Amino acid sequence: MSSASFSEQSSDDLVLDQIGPALSRLRRRAPASGKDLSRNLVLNVIADAPGETTVGGLAAEMGVAQPVASRTVAACIADGLLRRAASQEDGRRTVLELTEHGEAERNRFAAEQRKAFEAITAAWSPEERIQFARLLARYGDDATAWSKKQAASRG
């Protein structure tokens, strides 16, 4: 391997090693309170779920203990963002659904996040913004698929 190739590879490795910290900074920089961040996560998990979502399923998707998810769900229900409903698949189970107010809050969070993205990337070209947005959305989709595959292999 030539020294140029080695140097380029080392540089690429350094960039790739920054993915985790960069994603963590993205999460911390969202223009919302900690309470809003938790709510936004819950609302997005439930809205994006391919089927019915229980508190246990929500906890697993969020990577938190069930009592943590239960407290967050209780707060969302108290604030009118979620409601409990009987499962259409198994009437003995209780599932979570977004209310109209929950959907409106989810849209508000998305608008705040877009506004922050546009401010943060103000010096980027329109092409760079769109390319990054597409790649980040793709990363999110692929991460969801990977996570489900990992869960299936453990179960």
Side-chain angles (χ1 to χ4, degrees):
M1 178 182 282
S2 72
S3 63
S5 296
F6 179 76
S7 174
E8 185 177 300
Q9 180 61 38
S10 295
S11 176
D12 290 348
D13 284 343
L14 290 173
V15 170
L16 291 170
D17 287 344
Q18 291 303 307
I19 291 171
L23 290 173
S24 180
R25 283 190 303 276
L26 282 174
R27 174 114 167 104
R28 292 191 315 262
R29 299 294 182 263
S33 69
K35 181 178 174 183
D36 281 350
L37 287 174
S38 295
R39 288 178 178 186
N40 188 28
L41 181 58
V42 167
L43 298 178
N44 283 324
V45 167
I46 292 170
D48 294 342
E52 297 177 333
T53 304
T54 62
V55 173
L58 177 68
E61 185 65 26
M62 290 175 59
V64 299
Q66 190 158 342
V68 172
S70 292
R71 285 191 297 274
T72 305
V73 164
C76 287
I77 290 171
D79 291 339
L81 303 172
L82 296 176
R83 68 176 152 261
R84 295 183 194 274
S87 168
Q88 298 301 305
E89 298 171 10
D90 179 352
R92 297 170 292 178
R93 286 187 330 154
T94 300
V95 297
L96 303 169
E97 298 176 344
L98 265 67
T99 62
E100 284 185 35
H101 180 54
E103 189 61 42
E105 277 295 280
R106 186 171 179 253
N107 291 336
R108 182 182 69 79
F109 291 140
E112 283 182 8
Q113 290 164 335
R114 179 178 176 156
K115 186 176 176 183
F117 174 79
E118 289 173 345
I120 292 165
T121 61
W124 297 16
S125 72
E127 295 80 16
E128 288 173 320
R129 279 183 176 176
I130 295 301
Q131 180 182 19
F132 181 76
R134 284 184 178 135
L135 290 171
L136 190 58
R138 179 179 171 188
Y139 179 86
D141 292 344
D142 290 349
T144 297
W146 177 84
S147 180
K148 288 179 182 176
K149 187 177 178 182
Q150 295 295 311
S153 70
R154 286 189 297 259

